[in-house]
Amino acid sequence: MIKRILTGDRPTGPLHLGHYVGSLQNRVRLQHEYDTYVLIADVQALTDNFEHPEKLGDNIFQVALDYLAVGLDPEKVKIVVQSMVPELAELTIYFMNLVTVATLERNPTVKEEIKQRNFVKGVPVGFWSYPISQAADITIFKADLVPVGEDQLPMIEQAREIVRRFNRLYDKVLVEPRAMLGAVARLPGTDGGAKMSKSLGNCIYLGDSAEQVRKRVMSMFTDPTRIHPTDPGHVEGNPVFTYHDVFNPNKDEVEELKERYRKGTVGDVEVKQKLFAALDAFLAPIRERRAEFAAKPKHVHEIIMEGTRKGRALAHQTMAEARTAMKIAYKFE
Ligand code: TRP
């Protein structure tokens, strides 16, 4: 049987280069080999944006545009809106019995996110428990493979544990998913910080104009120990070179720049200009496709609705099997 992919994104804004190398690239590469579902996780986005639900509608549209822009084929890939599949909420509730409070409290990604966010009234239960809902996202579609960035590994592990418990306790209906990391599991931010993150303002977005990309690149952090262009510089851990390695297909140029940088015979400006050229060559076709789809919003809405309809049908089927396995498919006639 053809294997299935499920992965997704929170619609908190447009997607950036970190999303691309972490996961989007794998989806595009594998979409013809796998039955692919991509979830726009608006319910999860609400867990820390519940005060601004009015932004979700547009953000869902923007994320769908990014999917189509990078080359997800709407004839193949099902784009599914999470809140329109109520079966997900149902499965989440049943999964809650299979997870302990202690396990949730150990999730390193959630811990880190709680630190970053300033929950003044305390951590919402919905946010703290979102790994359970994410396990439902993955398993309701019986996904074999989940292409994600490194930060999502604890979620996949949580999903695997739940599947094992469910299948052992009730019946073997769920599939244990495997994570697949991107070519670059974690792309640093333009500020050299650990990762690109909207809240840190260190992102290059897939839909950014050439001018926005140029500005971001020219203001990137480089080697903090280097004062003059004639100082020998460090290439390792220097985000400008990390990006060159990932996005500049001209490996000879990159090697030459690295050599000159180490010797102190090239300035940051030249290295950045060449990075901008490489990034823009990569982003220009994406930007163009994005604009084409953005000009046909009704078409995009149809793609979303069709994907969601197919996703819901599959979710409905799995829920029926899960209820039967749990012996709660009552026949009170
Ligand atoms: N947690 C993911 C993120 O922050 C989004 C997500 C929701 C997801 N459901 C998923 C990812 C299921 C993979 C599988 O980007």
Side-chain angles (χ1 to χ4, degrees):
M1 221 175 55
I2 178 158
K3 299 234 173 202
R4 194 170 286 139
I5 280 180
L6 177 286
T7 185
D9 303 277
R10 294 180 196 166
T12 51
L15 303 181
H16 51 63
L17 290 176
H19 292 110
Y20 186 83
V21 296
S23 173
L24 292 170
Q25 190 174 34
N26 273 334
R27 303 177 202 180
V28 174
R29 185 167 64 83
L30 298 171
Q31 62 182 330
H32 299 293
E33 265 172 72
Y34 285 76
D35 183 24
T36 302
Y37 288 76
V38 180
L39 189 74
I40 304 187
D42 59 335
V43 177
Q44 190 175 114
L46 271 177
T47 62
D48 64 336
N49 289 280
F50 53 88
E51 285 166 322
H52 296 289
E54 71 283 358
K55 292 186 184 163
L56 285 174
D58 186 54
N59 285 343
I60 289 170
F61 183 69
Q62 296 301 326
V63 169
L65 284 182
D66 285 327
Y67 290 163
L68 297 165
V70 297
L72 289 184
D73 176 357
E75 300 287 321
K76 280 259 164 183
V77 173
K78 276 70 74 180
I79 298 177
V80 182
V81 178
Q82 189 182 24
S83 64
M84 297 173 84
V85 182
E87 288 80 2
L88 285 169
E90 199 180 345
L91 188 56
T92 301
I93 295 281
Y94 297 134
F95 279 180
M96 284 187 166
N97 301 325
L98 309 182
V99 180
T100 63
V101 168
T103 306
L104 277 182
E105 281 178 340
R106 271 198 302 272
N107 188 303
T109 297
V110 177
K111 270 202 216 164
E112 183 58 35
E113 286 174 327
I114 286 174
K115 250 192 264 166
Q116 274 172 22
R117 289 164 180 69
N118 189 16
F119 289 119
V120 278
K121 291 185 180 144
V123 183
V125 171
F127 185 83
W128 170 78
S129 60
Y130 86 74
I132 303 179
S133 132
Q134 187 159 335
D137 298 344
I138 297 167
T139 55
I140 212 161
F141 298 105
K142 296 194 179 171
D144 302 282
L145 196 66
V146 192
V148 280
E150 199 176 43
D151 61 322
Q152 296 299 303
L153 291 179
M155 310 306 157
I156 317 298
E157 202 39 55
Q158 177 70 83
R160 291 168 61 88
E161 273 174 38
I162 291 174
V163 168
R164 288 194 292 262
R165 279 210 81 189
F166 187 101
N167 286 353
R168 218 179 316 119
L169 267 174
Y170 306 123
D171 199 2
K172 209 179 164 317
V173 294
L174 301 179
V175 174
E176 203 171 320
R178 234 166 15 89
M180 174 184 255
L181 291 179
V184 184
R186 192 173 42 73
L187 190 72
T190 55
D191 59 356
K195 68 169 192 168
M196 276 197 182
S197 154
K198 191 182 75 129
S199 50
L200 299 175
N202 62 1
C203 303
I204 294 175
Y205 292 98
L206 297 170
D208 275 352
S209 68
E211 211 29 60
Q212 285 168 312
V213 176
R214 185 198 303 277
K215 271 200 200 129
R216 272 271 173 247
V217 170
M218 297 317 285
S219 62
M220 272 182 81
F221 283 41
T222 58
D223 175 1
T225 65
R226 192 175 189 239
I227 318 276
H228 308 290
T230 49
D231 295 343
H234 297 91
V235 163
E236 280 69 35
N238 182 331
V240 177
F241 281 101
T242 306
Y243 286 23
H244 263 297
D245 281 333
V246 178
F247 295 105
N248 190 341
N250 185 346
K251 298 299 162 213
D252 292 341
E253 178 177 272
V254 175
E255 281 320 302
E256 191 211 307
L257 284 173
K258 284 184 180 173
E259 218 180 288
R260 288 170 61 206
Y261 200 83
R262 289 197 181 100
K263 282 197 259 174
T265 61
V266 65
D268 280 349
V269 172
E270 184 180 338
V271 181
K272 287 177 173 178
Q273 277 166 343
K274 296 210 158 106
L275 174 60
F276 167 70
L279 272 179
D280 202 50
F282 168 74
L283 287 170
I286 294 176
R287 195 182 295 137
E288 217 168 281
R289 242 189 333 261
R290 199 177 196 285
E292 282 166 24
F293 280 106
K296 297 182 287 185
K298 264 182 83 178
H299 179 50
V300 175
H301 294 165
E302 277 162 20
I303 292 170
I304 295 172
M305 288 316 297
E306 184 58 15
T308 300
R309 194 186 59 71
K310 290 181 178 153
R312 187 160 186 207
L314 179 53
H316 185 80
Q317 169 68 29
T318 306
M319 256 344 280
E321 291 170 26
R323 255 188 255 107
T324 301
M326 294 171 73
K327 303 196 167 43
I328 56 169
Y330 312 118
K331 295 199 173 53
F332 297 140
E333 277 153 46

